[in-house]
Structure formats: structure tokens, C-alpha cells
Amino acid sequence: FQALQQVIPFQLELVGVIEPAEGQPLRDLERTFHERFRAAHQVGEWFRLEGELDAFCLALAKGAVLA
């Protein structure tokens, strides 16, 4: 997180951490999120904070357990 913050020109905020299900490879979890939030995808690992992704992040920040 700190290394990423050094190359980003604005303040980042960590709102939550999502752990994969037991035995689930991280790449599968990442693929799931890329598919789910495809509409907000910009380039590479970057997404616009809008729509379903915005609602998901707000719920995560409030402590919701999300899948």
C-alpha cells in the first residue's frame, strides 16, 4: 500500500480487505472481481468508483462481509 501511495498523485484510502474463501486461489478471486465490476474498468488494475463498485466499497467500509 505504501509503495503504491508513493506513485499515485492523490491520497489513497484502504477501506477494507477481502480474503479469498479457504482453498480459493487469489487469481480466481481477482478474476471474479474483474468480471463483476467490468462496467467500471478503466485500464489494467484501475477502475472508476461508480455504480455497483461504489456501493460495494461503501458497504465494505462499513464493515459488511461481502462475497
Side-chain angles (χ1 to χ4, degrees), residues 2-64:
Q2 292 175 347
L4 185 58
Q5 182 62 74
Q6 292 175 356
V7 297
I8 302 297
F10 49 86
Q11 185 66 37
L12 296 176
E13 178 183 357
L14 181 63
V15 297
V17 176
I18 301 167
E19 297 287 341
E22 187 173 333
Q24 179 186 28
L26 286 173
R27 67 182 174 278
D28 290 353
L29 178 61
E30 181 181 10
R31 185 178 305 118
T32 297
F33 281 102
H34 272 267
E35 291 171 1
R36 181 174 179 180
F37 302 119
R38 180 178 291 135
H41 185 249
Q42 288 188 299
V43 63
E45 298 299 320
W46 295 102
F47 292 79
R48 292 178 304 280
L49 187 58
E50 63 185 28
E52 184 185 3
L53 179 57
D54 188 30
F56 181 89
C57 290
L58 287 171
L60 187 62
K62 291 179 181 176

